Amino acid sequence: MSIPNLSRFLIQIMAKTPAKGKHPRDLPEDHMMKTTIALGVPLFLGLAACMPAQTQPDAPDRAEGAAFFAENCVQCHGVNAQGAGAAAKGLRPQPRDLTLLARNNGGRFPQTRTLAYIYGDPAGDATDSHLHRVMPQFGEGMALDLVPVDLDGQLTPTPRVLAGLLVYLESIQR
């Protein structure tokens, strides 16, 4: 039973139950409210205690992001993430220096834009989209393990490995 339905139910019961020999319509409204609260709060707390607790998934850490980076990004961006990986020589455009993302964004790490770019959002401008570049899309197939990430004040379900990568990339900014 939902909370509004529970409240209506309690009010109906109270309306049918005379207090101290008086008819319910003769009772002040505040008496009805106080009685409803007095009965409803313990009932609500009892029901809440019976519900299974929902645990938030633990947030990914820097080590998880570093492991993903080592497995998927080092070839192009290099071990130090400055764009000088073994495969970078033949790529046009050259891979970005990922340690300068915050510096190139007025000193603030651009979480939302970085995540969209890595995930594979082709909605950016045509020259910057995955459809016109070499970097692979990493979002597909990662949607089964999501964690909430605060992106510009909005909790956003994000693939766990990419959330970890964001933590790692933010930690290596210079």
Side-chain angles (χ1 to χ4, degrees):
M1 183 178 290
S2 71
I3 299 301
N5 290 340
L6 178 63
S7 296
R8 276 191 228 109
F9 176 71
L10 289 172
I11 290 171
Q12 288 173 352
I13 289 174
M14 293 308 301
K16 295 177 185 176
T17 308
K20 298 182 185 175
K22 293 186 178 183
H23 194 276
R25 72 175 161 247
D26 297 332
L27 296 173
E29 285 184 31
D30 67 328
H31 174 73
M32 291 287 285
M33 182 59 74
K34 288 177 185 175
T35 307
T36 301
I37 292 171
L39 291 174
V41 169
L43 180 62
F44 175 75
L45 292 174
L47 288 172
C50 294
M51 296 179 73
Q54 293 181 344
T55 59
Q56 290 288 342
D58 57 327
D61 60 14
R62 183 182 190 283
E64 288 180 74
F68 182 84
F69 185 86
E71 186 176 323
N72 297 284
C73 310
V74 167
Q75 305 88 318
C76 298
H77 292 281
V79 175
N80 61 7
Q82 294 179 350
K89 292 177 183 147
L91 297 178
R92 296 289 177 256
Q94 288 287 293
R96 291 186 181 183
D97 181 340
L98 300 177
T99 65
L100 299 176
L101 296 175
R103 183 185 295 177
N104 294 338
N105 192 50
R108 184 175 173 271
F109 183 71
Q111 277 191 314
T112 304
R113 198 168 88 222
T114 301
L115 181 63
Y117 196 82
I118 295 166
Y119 192 78
D121 180 14
D125 67 338
T127 60
D128 203 28
S129 82
H130 277 83
L131 300 175
H132 294 89
R133 64 183 184 164
V134 179
M135 187 171 148
Q137 298 180 35
F138 288 104
E140 196 170 314
M142 294 181 170
L144 296 178
D145 188 11
L146 301 176
V147 295
V149 172
D150 185 348
L151 297 174
D152 300 324
Q154 181 72 34
L155 284 179
T156 306
T158 304
R160 179 179 190 79
V161 294
L162 296 186
L165 183 59
L166 279 178
V167 171
Y168 172 71
L169 290 176
E170 190 166 9
S171 76
I172 62 170
Q173 296 305 294
R174 24 180 203 130

